[in-house]
Amino acid sequence: MPAHATPSSPASAVVLRFGRFAAMGTVALLILIAGVWASWGTAQHVMLTKGRERGTVEVVRCGPETCSGRFSPLSEGSQPRSRVVLEKSVAVEKGRTYTVVLKPGSDDAVRSGPAGVLYAWVPLGGALLLGSVVVAGGLARTRLAWVLAGSGVALLTVVFVAV
């Protein structure tokens, strides 16, 4: 083997290790950012309710993807509406009444209260679980991976119990 090949082997191993760390770290970070982004689309309406229309909706009709019902206002300046649309999920049933926040400028309602806040962050729980696999396998950081996975499982469990 040539003499010049020996010094480059450790250097190339370091470069490859750094490249793998950078690539997998970027993937893990993008997964977590995507989870926050997906959650924030709904969570902002539930968590930042100042100036938004708040009230209750009694679900009278459910379709394959949405449920609808009559909106009764609870906040000042809110107007009663004969029909608002609520995303159908396992936690929404026909005949039940839910506290909601209306998205500005629309008839779309989002569940509010503790259950609504937790439900809004479900995508982040999934991202934490997926990110933990990338961190464990790609970055070989098992402690951090267990923390991410535990956080994801805890969040999803609390949502399951609350909703």
Short mmCIF file of all heavy atoms in Angstrom, two decimals, residues 62-67 86-93 98 111 119 163:
data_model
loop_
_atom_site.label_atom_id
_atom_site.label_comp_id
_atom_site.label_asym_id
_atom_site.label_seq_id
_atom_site.Cartn_x
_atom_site.Cartn_y
_atom_site.Cartn_z
N CYS A 62 -72.82 14.98 10.41
CA CYS A 62 -71.44 14.57 10.15
C CYS A 62 -71.35 13.91 8.79
O CYS A 62 -72.17 13.04 8.46
CB CYS A 62 -70.93 13.60 11.22
SG CYS A 62 -70.44 14.40 12.75
N GLY A 63 -70.37 14.33 8.02
CA GLY A 63 -70.08 13.72 6.73
C GLY A 63 -68.82 12.89 6.85
O GLY A 63 -68.34 12.62 7.96
N PRO A 64 -68.24 12.51 5.72
CA PRO A 64 -67.04 11.67 5.77
C PRO A 64 -65.81 12.39 6.36
O PRO A 64 -64.98 11.75 6.99
CB PRO A 64 -66.78 11.29 4.33
CG PRO A 64 -67.75 12.04 3.50
CD PRO A 64 -68.73 12.71 4.37
N GLU A 65 -65.71 13.72 6.18
CA GLU A 65 -64.52 14.43 6.65
C GLU A 65 -64.81 15.57 7.61
O GLU A 65 -63.91 16.03 8.31
CB GLU A 65 -63.75 14.98 5.45
CG GLU A 65 -63.19 13.91 4.55
CD GLU A 65 -62.40 14.48 3.39
OE1 GLU A 65 -62.07 15.67 3.41
OE2 GLU A 65 -62.12 13.71 2.46
N THR A 66 -66.05 16.08 7.63
CA THR A 66 -66.38 17.21 8.48
C THR A 66 -67.70 16.99 9.18
O THR A 66 -68.52 16.18 8.77
CB THR A 66 -66.49 18.52 7.66
OG1 THR A 66 -67.52 18.38 6.69
CG2 THR A 66 -65.17 18.87 6.99
N CYS A 67 -67.87 17.72 10.26
CA CYS A 67 -69.14 17.77 10.97
C CYS A 67 -69.57 19.23 11.01
O CYS A 67 -68.73 20.14 10.93
CB CYS A 67 -68.99 17.23 12.39
SG CYS A 67 -68.67 15.47 12.47
N LEU A 86 -66.70 21.78 11.57
CA LEU A 86 -65.70 21.26 12.49
C LEU A 86 -65.09 20.02 11.86
O LEU A 86 -65.82 19.17 11.34
CB LEU A 86 -66.38 20.92 13.82
CG LEU A 86 -65.55 20.52 15.01
CD1 LEU A 86 -64.65 21.68 15.44
CD2 LEU A 86 -66.45 20.15 16.17
N GLU A 87 -63.77 19.92 11.88
CA GLU A 87 -63.10 18.75 11.30
C GLU A 87 -63.54 17.50 12.03
O GLU A 87 -63.56 17.45 13.26
CB GLU A 87 -61.59 18.91 11.42
CG GLU A 87 -60.81 17.75 10.84
CD GLU A 87 -59.31 17.91 11.04
OE1 GLU A 87 -58.82 19.04 10.99
OE2 GLU A 87 -58.65 16.89 11.27
N LYS A 88 -63.93 16.49 11.27
CA LYS A 88 -64.37 15.24 11.88
C LYS A 88 -63.15 14.44 12.32
O LYS A 88 -62.19 14.29 11.59
CB LYS A 88 -65.20 14.40 10.90
CG LYS A 88 -65.75 13.15 11.53
CD LYS A 88 -66.61 12.37 10.58
CE LYS A 88 -67.16 11.15 11.28
NZ LYS A 88 -67.96 10.35 10.37
N SER A 89 -63.22 13.94 13.52
CA SER A 89 -62.17 13.08 14.04
C SER A 89 -62.83 12.08 14.97
O SER A 89 -64.05 12.11 15.17
CB SER A 89 -61.11 13.89 14.80
OG SER A 89 -61.66 14.40 16.00
N VAL A 90 -62.04 11.22 15.54
CA VAL A 90 -62.61 10.24 16.47
C VAL A 90 -63.18 10.91 17.70
O VAL A 90 -63.97 10.32 18.42
CB VAL A 90 -61.53 9.20 16.89
CG1 VAL A 90 -61.14 8.35 15.71
CG2 VAL A 90 -60.35 9.87 17.53
N ALA A 91 -62.79 12.15 17.94
CA ALA A 91 -63.23 12.84 19.15
C ALA A 91 -64.48 13.69 18.93
O ALA A 91 -64.94 14.34 19.85
CB ALA A 91 -62.11 13.73 19.65
N VAL A 92 -65.04 13.70 17.72
CA VAL A 92 -66.23 14.50 17.43
C VAL A 92 -67.38 13.56 17.11
O VAL A 92 -67.27 12.71 16.23
CB VAL A 92 -65.98 15.48 16.26
CG1 VAL A 92 -67.24 16.25 15.92
CG2 VAL A 92 -64.85 16.43 16.59
N GLU A 93 -68.49 13.72 17.83
CA GLU A 93 -69.65 12.86 17.64
C GLU A 93 -70.90 13.70 17.41
O GLU A 93 -71.05 14.77 18.00
CB GLU A 93 -69.87 11.97 18.86
CG GLU A 93 -68.75 11.01 19.15
CD GLU A 93 -68.98 10.24 20.44
OE1 GLU A 93 -70.06 10.39 21.05
OE2 GLU A 93 -68.07 9.50 20.84
N TYR A 98 -69.48 21.05 21.74
CA TYR A 98 -68.04 21.29 21.95
C TYR A 98 -67.77 22.78 22.03
O TYR A 98 -68.41 23.58 21.33
CB TYR A 98 -67.22 20.70 20.80
CG TYR A 98 -67.41 19.22 20.63
CD1 TYR A 98 -68.29 18.72 19.67
CD2 TYR A 98 -66.74 18.31 21.42
CE1 TYR A 98 -68.48 17.37 19.52
CE2 TYR A 98 -66.92 16.95 21.27
CZ TYR A 98 -67.80 16.48 20.32
OH TYR A 98 -67.99 15.13 20.16
N ARG A 111 -61.67 22.93 17.88
CA ARG A 111 -61.96 22.67 19.29
C ARG A 111 -61.02 23.47 20.17
O ARG A 111 -59.84 23.63 19.87
CB ARG A 111 -61.80 21.19 19.60
CG ARG A 111 -62.98 20.38 19.10
CD ARG A 111 -62.97 18.99 19.60
NE ARG A 111 -63.10 18.95 21.06
CZ ARG A 111 -63.11 17.83 21.75
NH1 ARG A 111 -62.99 16.67 21.15
NH2 ARG A 111 -63.23 17.85 23.06
N TYR A 119 -54.94 18.24 21.23
CA TYR A 119 -55.23 17.62 19.93
C TYR A 119 -54.50 18.36 18.80
O TYR A 119 -54.07 17.74 17.83
CB TYR A 119 -56.73 17.59 19.68
CG TYR A 119 -57.11 16.87 18.43
CD1 TYR A 119 -56.98 15.49 18.33
CD2 TYR A 119 -57.59 17.56 17.33
CE1 TYR A 119 -57.31 14.82 17.18
CE2 TYR A 119 -57.93 16.91 16.17
CZ TYR A 119 -57.79 15.53 16.09
OH TYR A 119 -58.12 14.88 14.95
N VAL A 163 -58.84 13.55 25.00
CA VAL A 163 -59.85 13.69 23.95
C VAL A 163 -60.82 12.56 24.09
O VAL A 163 -61.99 12.66 24.01
CB VAL A 163 -59.21 13.70 22.56
CG1 VAL A 163 -60.24 13.67 21.46
CG2 VAL A 163 -58.33 14.92 22.41
#
